[in-house]
Amino acid sequence: MKSEKILITGALGQLGTVLTNELQKKYGINSVIATDLRPNFDFNGVFETLDVTNFKAIEECVIKHNVTQIYHLAAILSANGEKNPLKTWDINMSTLFNVLEVSRLCNINKIFYPSSIAVFGDEIESVNTPQSPNLTPLTVYGMSKVAGENWVNYYHKRYGLDIRSLRYPGVIGYQSLPGGGTTDYAVDIYHKAVNNEDFECFLKASTMLPMIFIDDAIRATLELMDAPRKIISIRTSYNLAGMSFTPNELYNSIRKTYPDFKISYNPDFRQEIADSWPKSIDDNTARKDWGWKPNYDLDSMTNIMIQKLKAQYHSVVA
Ligand code: NAD
Ligand code: SER
């Protein structure tokens, strides 16, 4: 069997940091080529600085390392994306086109493309949002993910590329910081709590959104990528659910450990984005096709987040 060589784009981001580590454990440290626009001089493993808007650079990297699989994570997220919509569209689409074309030309055998709950807009049932409603996103980021899902489906149907995709909910983890999304508050709040600081939330107390703990998000990714090709029935992107909660519910979960923790609410432009997204997701197709089941709920995630962040911030150096 051909041994796998895995290229990750956007590997220094919130998901990439953790996914790189898991792929290194699974395939071996020298089988994973982590890449990002930003350099990293103390990376533990194989790292290349790579701008995915540069077709030639990706092609050279793929050939140089005999890459067989690509996880294409590089993107501009929802809130940052609204600062410069045309640039966001250009980056999100050109990076995907480059990855798709290099994959086709270099016979890459599996590709992962992350989509998002941002594909949904104001024409959905917001509770238990189904797999295939009308997709009318409010943000340029969401528009780029809808278009991306369709391009991924097109390359699968037209060229037979084995591209798999998940619509991640907001991802919450302790290992890395989020990169400019609408769900970032749900990570930032833990950092404040653990440092005994007050938290100002940019969403209203009652804004329910779908979220997922990083361990579940990474496990879902690896389970989808390991599933036999013939059982993948969705070639746009699978709905994926972890849990759903409001800022007030998250605050109350944290107060079980930090009873004096204080929160205030000062909604900004991200409120309108959050209001256009689902409150909860129907992920039955992922459950049926490849056996998806999340392990974490709000309180079990809160316990781990607090325990890990306390260790990071307050570990005593001997
Ligand atoms: P992030 O913003 O934390 O990381 C993105 C990384 O991409 C950054 O390290 C950045 O330097 C890099 N990057 C940006 N432009 C690049 C370019 N031209 N070339 C190479 N690298 C470039 O994002 P993330 O949270 O890790 O998200 C990873 C993927 O998952 C994205 O596609 C995102 O849309 C998707 N996603 C994330 C979430 C979430 O909550 N984190 C939810 C849904 C979907
Ligand atoms: N968490 C991401 C964001 O808020 C969803 O894709 O942008």
Side-chain angles (χ1 to χ4, degrees), residues 99-280:
V99 167
L100 290 173
E101 268 304 275
V102 167
S103 298
R104 182 177 75 83
L105 295 169
C106 298
N107 299 316
I108 296 299
N109 60 34
K110 257 188 216 171
I111 302 120
F112 177 73
Y113 174 67
S115 186
S116 163
I117 51 166
V119 294
F120 300 111
D122 50 11
E123 291 185 21
I124 51 157
E125 293 160 47
S126 64
V127 175
N128 277 333
T129 300
Q131 175 66 45
S132 307
N134 266 359
L135 299 177
T136 54
L138 200 75
T139 58
V140 67
Y141 169 72
M143 282 160 50
S144 73
K145 291 294 185 187
V146 173
E149 289 186 3
N150 283 309
W151 275 102
V152 156
N153 187 43
Y154 177 86
Y155 266 72
H156 172 69
K157 296 242 156 70
R158 169 113 200 233
Y159 302 115
L161 281 192
D162 189 0
I163 313 174
R164 303 172 182 204
S165 176
L166 295 173
R167 289 173 179 156
Y168 289 127
V171 178
I172 299 168
Y174 53 88
Q175 302 94 328
S176 47
L177 290 170
T182 303
T183 57
D184 292 13
Y185 90 86
V187 178
D188 299 340
I189 191 171
Y190 286 107
H191 288 260
K192 294 288 186 197
V194 165
N195 285 305
N196 296 312
E197 293 172 33
D198 299 348
F199 180 66
E200 186 180 275
C201 185
F202 59 73
L203 297 181
K204 288 184 202 156
S206 58
T207 312
M208 180 165 287
L209 286 172
M211 302 280 187
I212 191 166
F213 185 49
I214 187 94
D215 289 15
D216 273 344
I218 299 297
R219 185 171 54 80
T221 310
L222 299 179
E223 286 178 6
L224 173 67
M225 292 302 274
D226 282 346
R229 185 176 172 133
K230 61 177 185 308
I231 68 170
I232 308 295
S233 70
I234 303 286
R235 287 295 180 169
T236 49
S237 189
Y238 278 99
N239 272 9
L240 184 78
M243 61 190 92
S244 284
F245 56 78
T246 65
N248 185 53
E249 287 166 344
L250 174 52
Y251 170 65
N252 284 327
S253 176
I254 293 173
R255 279 185 66 221
K256 290 177 188 164
T257 310
Y258 294 100
D260 296 330
F261 183 46
K262 293 206 170 33
I263 191 166
S264 57
Y265 296 94
N266 188 10
D268 65 15
F269 72 100
R270 289 168 281 195
Q271 183 66 47
E272 200 185 342
I273 299 176
D275 287 343
S276 73
W277 287 356
K279 295 184 185 355
S280 58

Side-chain angles (χ1 to χ4, degrees), residues 10 12-16 36-38 50-53 72-77 91 95 114-116 141 145 168-171 177-179 183:
L12 299 182
Q14 187 196 8
L15 272 155
D36 203 285
L37 188 59
R38 298 177 277 156
L50 178 68
D51 180 351
V52 196
T53 61
H72 173 45
L73 304 185
I76 308 299
L77 272 66
I91 292 174
T95 53
S115 186
S116 163
Y141 169 72
K145 291 294 185 187
Y168 289 127
V171 178
L177 290 170
T183 57

